[in-house]
Amino acid sequence: MDPDAVAKAFVEHYYRTFDSSRAALGVLYQDASMLTFEGDKIQGAAAIVAKLSSLPFQQCAHVIATVDCQPSGPSGGMLVFVSGSLQLGGEQHPLKFSQMFHLMPTPQGSFYVLNDIFRLNYA
Amino acid sequence: MDPDAVAKAFVEHYYRTFDSSRAALGVLYQDASMLTFEGDKIQGAAAIVAKLSSLPFQQCAHVIATVDCQPSGPSGGMLVFVSGSLQLGGEQHPLKFSQMFHLMPTPQGSFYVLNDIFRLNYA
């Protein structure tokens, strides 16, 4: 399994789900998962979904510019680093963002998000 | 030891060293270390230092905007996510960048960089 292909597939799935149904992202996180969103620290799948669902916009569309990935060590984890832009409904200009995910393997042969750090890149 | 304080101290040390003597960054990496620099994949401390030393500018100054960190799992590692800007000698405008480091503990109680991913954020 090519790590770059796995990373790209994960990123496409993640933002497609984010842009259509944020509440459905919960299955990608577990209780140990951590999100740092613009400096706010949140832990656990339920709290992370509550945070993402509460963001003050109804419509958004992510456009991915770059996806980089590296294995994170002997645990079989994978680091995925994304840059792109985010168009919010009602806003004229897209916002640039960077985000990193640390994906960990599940016993079922899939991955969950252990670490997630998101930052807007202010111009 | 407060992880946020460790992350901030590492980041300040890293960019101070980068801006004054890139060759001295080698002690922060090991043979297993990986760097992805604008999509180029490099492995091992010697190759990473060679890459950083060969970047086509003589003078640079990093300005850090944000530092976020999270523990990366049971191995005692730490993920550090940085955004900031980079002023190159002879250039009028600073370049915005994002970078992530995965720091792993050494037997001596310090950290080395296992993973390093760097991207410029083009306007």
Side-chain angles (χ1 to χ4, degrees):
Chain A
M1 199 161 54
D2 173 24
D4 285 305
V6 173
K8 190 159 178 287
F10 166 79
V11 166
E12 288 174 356
H13 173 67
Y14 184 90
Y15 293 117
R16 191 167 55 235
T17 305
F18 193 112
D19 293 347
S20 59
S21 171
R22 275 173 263 170
L25 291 170
V27 297
L28 298 176
Y29 297 92
Q30 296 191 359
D31 286 348
S33 300
M34 288 162 270
L35 166 67
T36 304
F37 186 91
E38 286 284 279
D40 284 352
K41 297 184 178 189
I42 298 113
Q43 180 149 5
I48 289 170
V49 167
K51 172 70 178 178
L52 297 176
S53 298
S54 74
L55 295 174
F57 49 81
Q58 295 302 313
Q59 291 191 312
C60 64
H62 289 79
V63 177
I64 302 162
T66 64
V67 178
D68 296 306
C69 86
Q70 290 181 359
S72 67
S75 60
M78 187 159 64
L79 294 164
V80 182
F81 187 91
V82 183
S83 71
S85 61
L86 174 59
Q87 180 71 54
L88 300 182
E91 297 288 329
Q92 191 172 1
H93 299 292
L95 303 167
K96 297 182 80 68
F97 74 92
S98 300
Q99 188 162 13
M100 60 143 294
F101 301 96
H102 186 197
L103 306 182
M104 295 294 281
T106 65
Q108 294 77 32
S110 182
F111 287 94
Y112 74 96
V113 179
L114 176 59
N115 303 95
D116 179 351
I117 302 179
F118 175 93
R119 280 282 177 185
L120 291 172
N121 303 128
Y122 295 103
Chain B
M1 200 161 53
D2 172 25
D4 286 305
V6 173
K8 191 159 178 286
F10 166 79
V11 167
E12 288 174 356
H13 173 67
Y14 184 90
Y15 293 118
R16 192 167 55 236
T17 306
F18 193 113
D19 293 347
S20 59
S21 170
R22 273 173 264 170
L25 291 170
V27 296
L28 299 176
Y29 296 92
Q30 297 191 359
D31 286 349
S33 300
M34 288 161 269
L35 167 65
T36 305
F37 186 91
E38 287 283 279
D40 284 353
K41 297 184 179 191
I42 299 114
Q43 180 149 5
I48 289 170
V49 166
K51 171 70 178 179
L52 296 177
S53 298
S54 74
L55 295 175
F57 49 81
Q58 295 303 312
Q59 291 191 311
C60 63
H62 290 78
V63 177
I64 302 162
T66 64
V67 179
D68 297 305
C69 86
Q70 291 180 0
S72 67
S75 60
M78 187 159 63
L79 294 164
V80 182
F81 187 92
V82 183
S83 71
S85 61
L86 175 58
Q87 181 71 54
L88 299 182
E91 297 289 331
Q92 191 172 0
H93 298 292
L95 303 167
K96 298 182 80 68
F97 74 92
S98 300
Q99 189 163 12
M100 61 142 295
F101 301 97
H102 186 197
L103 306 183
M104 294 295 281
T106 66
Q108 295 77 33
S110 183
F111 287 94
Y112 74 96
V113 179
L114 176 59
N115 303 94
D116 180 351
I117 302 179
F118 175 93
R119 279 283 177 184
L120 291 171
N121 303 128
Y122 295 103

